[in-house]
Amino acid sequence: MRSIRDIRLFENIPILVRAALNVPVENGKVVNDYRLRRALPTIRFLAERGAKVVLISHLGEQGTETLAPVALSLGKLIPGVSFFPETIGKESRSAIRNLAPGTILVLENLRRNKGEHMNDPSFAKELSSLADIFVQDSFDTCHRAHASIIGVPKLLPSYAGFLLEEEMKELSEALAPKRPALAIIGGAKFRTKEAVLTTLLETYDHVFVGGALANDFLKALGQEVGKSLVSGADEKVIKKLLAHPKIVLPVDWLVIPARLAGAMNARLEAHIASAGQVQPSEIILDHGPGTITLLSDLAQKAKTILWNGPLGNYEHGFIDATDAFARAVASSHAYSVVGGGDTVASIEGLGLLPRFSFVSTGGGAMLDFLAKGTLPGIEALN
C-alpha cells in the first residue's frame, strides 16, 4: 500500500482526499473538532507542497446535512480553506481548476448523492474526474463499501494518508498486546460485536462485555433484565462465548422504573441492583460501583487496555460508569487504545485525551479492523 510520502509530484496537482470530517454540528456550528485536528497532518503535508487539496467527506446519516460549517471550523485550524456547495459536476471541476496551489477546497456532503452509499460506478467516475490523485485518510469509513471508499481507488493512483497509516499501525499492535491484557467492549448491537469478541478472546486475558450489549449475555444466563434494551441475539452463540473463561460481565447495575424512561426525574428513583435484583418492571441504564471497582482493579494490573463503546446509556446522560472507568484507565500504567464516538467524547470531556496512548477515530471501523485485520477501504488501496 502506497503512502502519500510516495507521491512524486505535488505542485499544482489536484489531489482528492477522503477525509474524516464527520464531526458533531449543532445549530450550524461544530461543537467538537477532534476529528478535524486529526485530519490536519495529511492536509498540511499536501498543501505545503503546493497541491490543490480537494476534501470530500460525509456528514451525518440523513444525507441532508451540509459541510459548510465544517469547512468554516477547519479554516480556523489551517489557512487557505474554502467551501463549494456541490460535490460533482462541471461547476465543481471549474472551482478546482481555479484553486491556487497550496489551498484547500471542501466539497459538499458526499451522502447528498445516493450514488455514494450505493457505490454507484458512475458516481465514483464523477468523483475521480475531480483530481489526478486520490488519498484515503478516512479510517472511520473504511469499513463501508461506498463509492468514495472502494470505487475511486479503482480509477485513480491511490495512497494512504497519515491518519490511516497511524490507525492501522496502532490497532495492529493492539492485536498482539503486552500481557496481562484487558479488553472492554460496550455499546449495543451484538451482531456488530460478535466477530471482535471472538478475536479478542484469543489474545486478551480478560474481555469485559458492558453497556447494553451485556443485557444479551445476562438474558442468556437466565437473569432478569426487565425492560432493558436487548438485541435479540442468538442465545446459542452467546452461550458459546459465555463458556469462555476470559469473559467478564458486570456485577451490578443502575436501574430505574420503566415508566420513568425519558422522564426528567428518572434519576431520583434510580438505584443499584446486583445480580438477581433487577425487576421485570425496570430498565438497566448503567453499571454500578461494584462493576467499576472490578474494572478498575483489572485496569491497574493490565499492561494493555483496549476499549470501545460506552458502559451506560450515554446519549441520555447515564455516563457515570463510563467516566469513572475513563479515569481508571488514565491513571493506570497500561498502554491504552480507545475508540467509539461516545467513549472518546467521555475522555475528551474529562480532559483525559493526552493520558491515553492512542485514540482511534473509528467506532465500527475499529471493531471490524480488530476482527479481520483489514477493511474494504484498505483493500481497495492495496
Side-chain angles (χ1 to χ4, degrees), residues 3 281 366:
S3 164
S281 61
M366 174 183 172

Side-chain angles (χ1 to χ4, degrees), residues 264-313:
M264 294 292 291
N265 63 338
R267 276 192 173 273
L268 297 178
E269 295 198 39
H271 65 94
I272 302 299
S274 299
Q277 295 180 343
V278 179
Q279 301 301 307
S281 61
E282 293 178 325
I283 300 178
I284 297 171
L285 288 172
D286 205 352
H287 298 326
T291 300
I292 293 305
T293 297
L294 169 67
L295 285 175
S296 298
D297 289 345
L298 290 173
Q300 294 305 314
K301 298 172 184 175
K303 290 185 178 179
T304 304
I305 299 173
L306 175 69
W307 179 19
N308 182 291
L311 302 183
N313 191 326

Side-chain angles (χ1 to χ4, degrees), residues 15-53:
I15 298 181
L16 190 67
V17 181
R18 184 34 163 119
L21 308 184
N22 183 31
V23 296
V25 177
E26 296 178 6
N27 299 318
K29 292 185 178 181
V30 172
V31 294
N32 187 320
D33 66 356
Y34 175 69
R35 280 184 172 173
L36 301 186
R37 288 182 274 122
R38 293 294 297 277
L40 288 179
T42 290
I43 297 170
R44 186 175 287 117
F45 177 87
L46 298 172
E48 288 176 349
R49 284 156 180 78
K52 296 181 177 182
V53 185

Side-chain angles (χ1 to χ4, degrees), residues 139 141-144 164 364-370 372-380:
F139 173 81
T141 55
C142 274
H143 60 317
R144 307 291 188 190
L164 179 62
M366 174 183 172
L367 293 173
D368 281 6
F369 185 88
L370 290 170
K372 304 169 186 175
T374 188
L375 297 171
I378 293 171
E379 290 301 299

